[in-house]
Amino acid sequence: MHKIGYLGPRGTFSEEAALRHLGERKGETAGCSSIEEIFSGVAEGRFDEGIVPVENSTEGSVGAVLDLLAGPFNLAVRGEVLLPVCQSLMVRPGTRLDQVEKVFSHSQALAQCSRFLRRELPGALPVECSSTAAAAAKVAGSSRPWAALGPARAAAVYGLQVVVPAANDYPDNATRFWVLGREQVPCAAAHGYKTSIIFGLQDRPGALYAVLREFALRGINLTRIESRPAKKNLGDYVFFIDFLGSQGQPGVQEVLGGVASLTVGLKILGSYPAWNCAGTDALASGGREASLTLAGLRRELDAVDARIAELLAQRTRLIDRVASLKQNEGNIRDPLREEQILSRVRQLSLTAGGDTELAEEVWRVILRHSVRRQASRLASGAAGNRQQALPQAP
Ligand SMILES: O=C(O)C(=O)Cc1ccccc1
């Protein structure tokens, strides 16, 4: 059975990314205790593929992963998964927030919540763990008043209680994962692909410009450019570029020929289906033809549903903030604003080629729930606690 190595134990964001990559295909996931173990597991054939975080929208690149790709391992990039990352603060049932002495998590997760930690838990010591789920397991196994930051799924796996559902400083926090394998995916001459390369440069004026010119001349769009220290002399760098296009396309082959002649040690990591902006993973898990099969279409539907659920959760959090600005139940309804929202979504749906009746019906339900939620928060005082001194919403 297809086996995928991920940063474990069970319940990490990496496991979630591996499951999304698998979609409906049969496969097995194997939790590893370090990123190096994933790389060596794939290189030595214990895993068919490995999944590793490459960059985060808040914290930037995962240097260790880029260094391993540039350095000792000759692995290929076979796909990407874009995962929205919501960091939940979790404790053992019974632990109060004001008791928390230490907060455990992966270094990226602690960094993604640094402002939250300073503001809400200034007395607690942040402690790095190998992963968010390892942190959750540590908190669950101790009788100390500790907390962990990680996916809400990890709280469910280790019997912890989520006390703050979204502690990340930026609500759109997301991580890009790469699917690694021993061989590149066969090159398609299709659109919707990305290609990733690594190279070094001679130290002379315009060296990087000459490389970028190759892309510009052929109208090829870069999606990421990054440099890492080459770990030799200070000032020597390794460059990482991702761009739109596949090695099956003649323009891309020309660019790669040009880049090879202008750089040192060019490594082509691979061409792979880009994770579609709508979060659709059908391309990432089987190529374009996946959308032509029932299983492929269901995978696309599942990915769209996941997006909708995440957006609804984001909307609910905004509604709670709106509620905290309202002082009494008389301010909750605003028929003019509700009519504006409905008319705007009808228009948006029309422009997007959607079903406007469906959009209107769904938004009527959403608005009804928003009003009900605000009313119950105001009645219970949950929204009102912080607002005495705050101004009325316009
Ligand atoms: O620790 C995890 O859950 C991981 O998968 C690594 C990670 C940590 C924070 C954001 C994304 C991935």
Side-chain angles (χ1 to χ4, degrees):
M1 198 179 321
H2 194 78
K3 196 164 179 180
I4 304 185
Y6 71 92
L7 182 66
R10 268 197 66 211
T12 57
F13 289 109
S14 299
E15 185 194 30
E16 170 91 41
L19 294 173
R20 287 200 187 196
H21 169 62
L22 268 177
E24 285 194 352
R25 288 175 303 162
K26 282 211 164 48
E28 197 183 329
T29 53
C32 298
S33 52
S34 69
I35 297 280
E36 286 83 354
E37 198 183 321
I38 302 171
F39 272 78
S40 60
V42 176
E44 291 157 18
R46 286 191 299 283
F47 309 136
D48 300 294
E49 290 182 324
I51 193 140
V52 288
V54 213
E55 63 166 339
N56 172 265
S57 57
T58 309
E59 279 305 298
S61 288
V62 182
V65 167
L66 298 183
D67 292 346
L68 288 169
L69 275 164
F73 293 97
N74 267 321
L75 295 183
V77 176
R78 295 175 55 82
E80 64 173 3
V81 175
L82 206 75
L83 189 74
V85 166
C86 182
Q87 301 286 2
S88 299
L89 185 78
M90 52 194 91
V91 295
R92 270 187 328 115
T95 304
R96 289 197 325 267
L97 261 193
D98 60 356
Q99 299 173 313
V100 170
E101 294 169 348
K102 292 184 180 175
V103 180
F104 293 84
S105 201
H106 187 272
S107 55
Q108 278 250 343
L110 291 170
Q112 288 160 22
C113 305
S114 58
R115 276 195 292 154
F116 166 86
L117 291 174
R118 271 198 305 277
R119 197 179 58 236
E120 304 295 334
L121 294 167
L125 183 72
V127 184
E128 283 184 19
C129 289
S130 57
S131 74
T132 55
K138 192 171 176 95
V139 170
S142 161
S143 56
R144 306 291 313 164
W146 288 346
L149 281 166
R153 256 161 38 89
V157 172
Y158 299 100
L160 297 179
Q161 188 185 354
V162 170
V163 275
V164 179
N168 32 295
D169 295 332
Y170 296 91
D172 294 327
N173 193 34
T175 296
R176 179 188 312 285
F177 290 83
W178 267 350
V179 180
L180 305 179
R182 288 178 294 283
E183 274 163 30
Q184 297 187 18
V185 292
C187 276
H191 291 284
Y193 273 67
K194 271 186 184 174
T195 300
S196 296
I197 59 174
I198 306 180
F199 57 84
L201 288 175
Q202 302 273 11
D203 183 13
R204 59 183 157 77
L208 181 59
Y209 165 76
V211 171
L212 297 181
R213 191 171 168 273
E214 294 291 317
F215 291 94
L217 286 177
R218 292 171 185 86
I220 290 182
N221 202 6
L222 306 193
T223 54
R224 191 170 70 107
I225 177 162
E226 191 78 46
S227 64
R228 295 276 307 154
K231 306 191 195 311
K232 292 176 196 149
N233 301 316
L234 193 63
D236 279 355
Y237 295 99
V238 179
F239 291 85
F240 296 76
I241 286 184
D242 300 345
F243 58 92
L244 294 180
S246 123
Q247 290 165 84
Q249 293 171 313
V252 170
Q253 285 168 9
E254 277 174 35
V255 165
L256 291 175
V259 173
S261 67
L262 294 165
T263 57
V264 183
L266 173 67
K267 226 178 191 180
I268 300 173
L269 296 174
S271 300
Y272 49 91
W275 187 266
N276 166 320
C277 328
T280 303
D281 64 350
L283 295 182
S285 55
R288 292 205 148 250
E289 65 282 6
S291 327
L292 300 176
T293 65
L294 181 58
L297 287 170
R298 282 187 171 153
R299 213 157 39 231
E300 287 199 50
L301 281 171
D302 287 349
V304 169
D305 286 349
R307 265 316 262 172
I308 294 173
E310 270 144 23
L311 289 171
L312 281 175
Q314 195 178 335
R315 195 178 197 287
T316 303
R317 287 195 288 277
L318 287 169
I319 289 298
D320 288 350
R321 288 171 59 192
V322 168
S324 75
L325 290 174
K326 293 187 176 172
Q327 289 179 332
N328 60 59
E329 292 182 39
N331 301 122
I332 293 176
R333 294 301 299 252
D334 183 344
L336 189 63
R337 166 85 179 133
E338 285 173 26
E339 204 31 66
Q340 280 169 346
I341 292 177
L342 287 174
S343 132
R344 182 166 173 272
V345 296
R346 269 194 302 267
Q347 190 55 50
L348 285 170
S349 163
L350 197 66
T351 313
D355 176 341
T356 50
E357 251 177 67
L358 169 69
E360 178 164 351
E361 212 171 308
V362 168
W363 257 268
R364 283 195 189 281
V365 174
I366 289 177
L367 291 176
R368 206 168 56 236
H369 276 256
S370 298
V371 168
R372 221 187 283 153
R373 187 171 171 99
Q374 291 183 52
S376 79
R377 285 180 73 80
L378 278 185
S380 73
N385 293 342
R386 280 176 288 139
Q387 67 179 347
Q388 261 92 354
L390 292 173
Q392 183 68 48

